[in-house]
Amino acid sequence: MEVGLGRTIITLLLITAQGLGYNRYSYDDYNSDGTYYYDNNDGEEDVPIFLARSQTFTVEVGQSVIIPCDVENAGNNKLIIKKISPNTGKEKLMWVGSERVTRDRRITVDGYRLTLSGVRPRDAGTFLCMFEMEPPIQLRHSLDVQFAPTIRSLAPPEQHVTKGTSLTLECQAEGNPKPIIHWSRQEGPLPSGQSTQLGRNLTLEGVDRLVEGTYLCTADNGIGEAASAAMTIAVEYPPEVTTEKGIVRSGEGDRVELVCVVRGRPTPEVSWTRDGHPLQEAQVDTKLPYLGRRNDTAHLSFIHAAHLSLAHAAHRHILTFANVSEKDFGAYVCIARNTHGQRDAVIQMTGLPKPPQVTSSANGGESTSYTLTWETESYYPITEFLVKYHKSHLGDWQNNHSVVMAGSWETVSRKVELERVREVKEARRHHLALTLTGLQVATDYVAVVRVRNKYGWSAQSPHFTFSTKKAMAVMQTSSGGSWCSIPSSSTTLVLLTLIIQALP
């Protein structure tokens, strides 16, 4: 009675197992007491054998991949396919026999092959083909999904730093394969002089305004398009002030612009003084430039003209005189201030002549005289000039080869004839000359020149060295031929000095 009950229970268990798909078990696999035994000889051909070998599949995002689980002797055993996460190691059941377990509609199974369409980065991992047996029969495949890089900046998109400080820019990139990061600058080369630099970080030491700009960190791994992130650096520094012309020469009735170029961050406030006194708002007509377009080219124009107006465009601050008069001459100071300091620059507006420039040849053609010529610029006629000259000897050169003076200056001044004044009244460039007489033969001289107009004397010209004619004495041979030439005493002295200095 007990044996019959046991066989009845075993029969019910077999029916239940068959309903679950475990058809390989038979009644004969169980002992009379209900325990299971496995006969290697009877079940050897029923053991599933995978035909494929473990593989690693590398695909790019968006492609499809087939995971092979080809098997023979599967019998009635159901193939189970799982996905193992590469990060957590957690298993996820995807397919059992002919039944889908996952909700992902991109996955299909045809026979013993799983197809994954439109691969995504998160699909990477280990795919496990297996049969639940003792021991389990398994086949592992790896899926490597390559995707284009992404990158993000770990620094603010815009940074204001003080001149002289240092800062580090940093970016972080993701992608498969691992991206390479390089740095560049939109405005040109990096401060190091290189066009690019590799690495996650870019350090800028002792910054100044020359390092300002937009820096790009770019990640590239050969998949898809490279990715970039941008960071803008703005350097705060004290004002820097220069002038386009330090001295502006003008004449009555002219239109004159005094231009001051100012840079700084924060943007400096600019003011002007004249001869040490601030220009009051009542004196200056200040207008912002009106930006118009003409023939598709941007230009600046002012709303109206006044005798004295102030405007700025970009870094140029312009003080404009519409109709110069004598009272406008003076020293104008452009003063720039910001939170980091103050700087200024001086522009002298004057009617004085420009310092003369000598134009005559240094080698005179006369033995005891020399004609000195020069030119100068002046908005007004030259009424007088002054020439000072002095004998020099070049033999006693200093270490820096400067001319050694001998004796005192000779001074010659002349009034310019009225007729000459009328002839050059409309000219700005003036050409004048003076013949010096009573000079010594073959002698070197130094001269300086000053000129004068109605507003006063110009600055002195640069020192100019000239010489009177240096005759050559020729010694004749008995046959009448030229044997050698002997230079004048002054030239001989120079040559001997040079020879002596060259000796060891």
Side-chain angles (χ1 to χ4, degrees):
M1 183 70 179
E2 292 180 355
V3 173
L5 179 60
R7 296 182 68 87
T8 301
I9 294 173
I10 291 172
T11 301
L12 291 175
L13 289 173
L14 286 173
I15 293 172
T16 303
Q18 289 176 353
L20 293 175
Y22 295 95
N23 296 326
R24 68 179 299 273
Y25 301 102
S26 66
Y27 176 84
D28 294 332
D29 292 329
Y30 289 83
N31 297 316
S32 59
D33 60 357
T35 60
Y36 168 77
Y37 76 91
Y38 179 68
D39 186 350
N40 288 331
N41 293 326
D42 293 341
E44 182 177 356
E45 61 182 7
D46 293 332
V47 176
I49 300 174
F50 285 112
L51 301 178
R53 293 182 301 173
S54 295
Q55 300 178 62
T56 297
F57 299 93
T58 301
V59 297
E60 293 185 18
V61 166
Q63 294 180 343
S64 298
V65 63
I66 296 175
I67 305 296
C69 298
D70 298 341
V71 65
E72 67 177 11
N73 297 333
N76 293 325
N77 299 293
K78 291 187 176 182
L79 173 67
I80 299 173
I81 303 177
K82 296 180 179 180
K83 162 79 180 304
I84 303 176
S85 170
N87 299 322
T88 64
K90 185 177 180 181
E91 294 184 357
K92 179 181 180 181
L93 187 60
M94 306 184 74
W95 209 274
V96 177
S98 60
E99 300 296 327
R100 179 197 305 272
V101 178
T102 180
R103 295 182 180 180
D104 194 337
R105 296 298 174 180
R106 298 175 302 132
I107 296 176
T108 60
V109 174
D110 183 10
Y112 298 106
R113 294 194 170 193
L114 180 147
T115 300
L116 176 58
S117 303
V119 173
R120 302 169 184 170
R122 61 181 175 85
D123 294 327
T126 300
F127 285 78
L128 182 63
C129 309
M130 65 176 295
F131 291 96
E132 288 285 2
M133 303 183 69
E134 291 295 337
I137 298 175
Q138 299 180 347
L139 174 66
R140 291 173 179 263
H141 294 301
S142 296
L143 178 61
D144 181 28
V145 180
Q146 295 187 338
F147 55 94
T150 58
I151 195 167
R152 65 187 182 93
S153 167
L154 301 183
E158 182 173 352
Q159 296 187 66
H160 286 251
V161 295
T162 304
K163 179 180 178 181
T165 59
S166 300
L167 77 156
T168 298
L169 306 178
E170 184 176 2
C171 284
Q172 180 175 312
E174 295 181 357
N176 185 28
K178 184 178 180 180
I180 295 174
I181 300 176
H182 68 268
W183 293 85
S184 61
R185 184 183 179 199
Q186 284 186 348
E187 291 75 12
L190 296 169
S192 64
Q194 299 175 322
S195 58
T196 60
Q197 181 175 319
L198 296 177
R200 288 185 52 180
N201 303 327
L202 177 66
T203 300
L204 304 175
E205 302 280 356
V207 300
D208 57 23
R209 66 178 179 86
L210 299 180
V211 308
E212 287 189 328
T214 300
Y215 291 80
L216 300 176
C217 57
T218 302
D220 190 6
N221 65 356
I223 306 297
E225 299 292 332
S228 296
M231 289 145 281
T232 300
I233 304 300
V235 179
E236 295 192 355
Y237 56 97
E240 297 176 359
V241 185
T242 58
T243 62
E244 290 190 354
K245 287 185 178 180
I247 299 178
V248 176
R249 303 180 191 281
S250 181
E252 293 182 6
D254 285 347
R255 176 184 173 83
V256 172
E257 290 184 346
L258 307 184
V259 180
C260 182
V261 181
V262 177
R263 290 181 172 85
R265 183 170 281 111
T267 302
E269 295 183 358
V270 176
S271 61
W272 292 80
T273 64
R274 175 189 170 185
D275 295 330
H277 302 287
L279 291 176
Q280 303 298 324
E281 292 185 3
Q283 295 177 282
V284 180
D285 179 22
T286 305
K287 297 292 181 183
L288 291 177
Y290 167 76
L291 181 62
R293 301 193 68 84
R294 177 183 302 163
N295 298 329
D296 294 328
T297 302
H299 69 281
L300 293 175
S301 60
F302 296 93
I303 297 175
H304 69 276
H307 171 65
L308 183 62
S309 61
L310 178 64
H312 71 273
H315 303 297
R316 299 174 78 244
H317 295 258
I318 308 165
L319 191 61
T320 302
F321 298 82
N323 188 10
V324 172
S325 64
E326 184 177 344
K327 64 181 180 62
D328 293 322
F329 294 150
Y332 293 83
V333 182
C334 170
I335 305 171
R337 303 179 181 88
N338 69 8
T339 55
H340 298 288
Q342 172 179 316
R343 299 290 187 277
D344 60 55
V346 180
I347 304 176
Q348 184 78 36
M349 186 165 72
T350 180
L352 293 176
K354 193 174 182 179
Q357 295 291 325
V358 177
T359 58
S360 52
S361 171
N363 299 315
E366 303 296 329
S367 299
T368 59
S369 64
Y370 177 82
T371 299
L372 187 69
T373 62
W374 66 90
E375 64 179 23
T376 187
E377 291 183 15
S378 174
Y379 276 74
Y380 302 96
I382 300 300
T383 59
E384 186 177 358
F385 63 79
L386 182 146
V387 175
K388 295 170 66 176
Y389 65 98
H390 198 294
K391 185 169 65 173
S392 68
H393 46 88
L394 299 177
D396 297 334
W397 281 8
Q398 305 290 330
N399 290 333
N400 60 357
H401 291 187
S402 60
V403 176
V404 178
M405 306 306 298
S408 58
W409 288 101
E410 297 287 342
T411 302
V412 179
S413 63
R414 294 283 190 276
K415 300 287 186 181
V416 178
E417 299 177 358
L418 292 179
E419 291 78 5
R420 176 64 174 166
V421 171
R422 286 193 292 268
E423 288 175 4
V424 299
K425 185 176 182 180
E426 301 301 325
R428 295 183 179 181
R429 187 173 293 274
H430 306 265
H431 302 271
L432 299 167
L434 174 67
T435 299
L436 302 175
T437 59
L439 305 179
Q440 295 182 10
V441 177
T443 303
D444 297 303
Y445 290 87
V446 174
V448 292
V449 184
R450 296 178 68 191
V451 295
R452 184 178 186 178
N453 66 12
K454 61 182 290 187
Y455 288 106
W457 287 98
S458 71
Q460 183 174 278
S461 70
H463 284 67
F464 176 75
T465 302
F466 67 92
S467 62
T468 53
K469 184 176 181 180
K470 297 179 179 179
M472 305 294 289
V474 179
M475 296 182 64
Q476 301 293 325
T477 64
S478 59
S479 61
S482 178
W483 176 60
C484 65
S485 298
I486 301 177
S488 63
S489 59
S490 177
T491 306
T492 302
L493 183 59
V494 174
L495 293 175
L496 289 174
T497 302
L498 290 174
I499 292 172
I500 294 172
Q501 292 178 344
L503 291 176

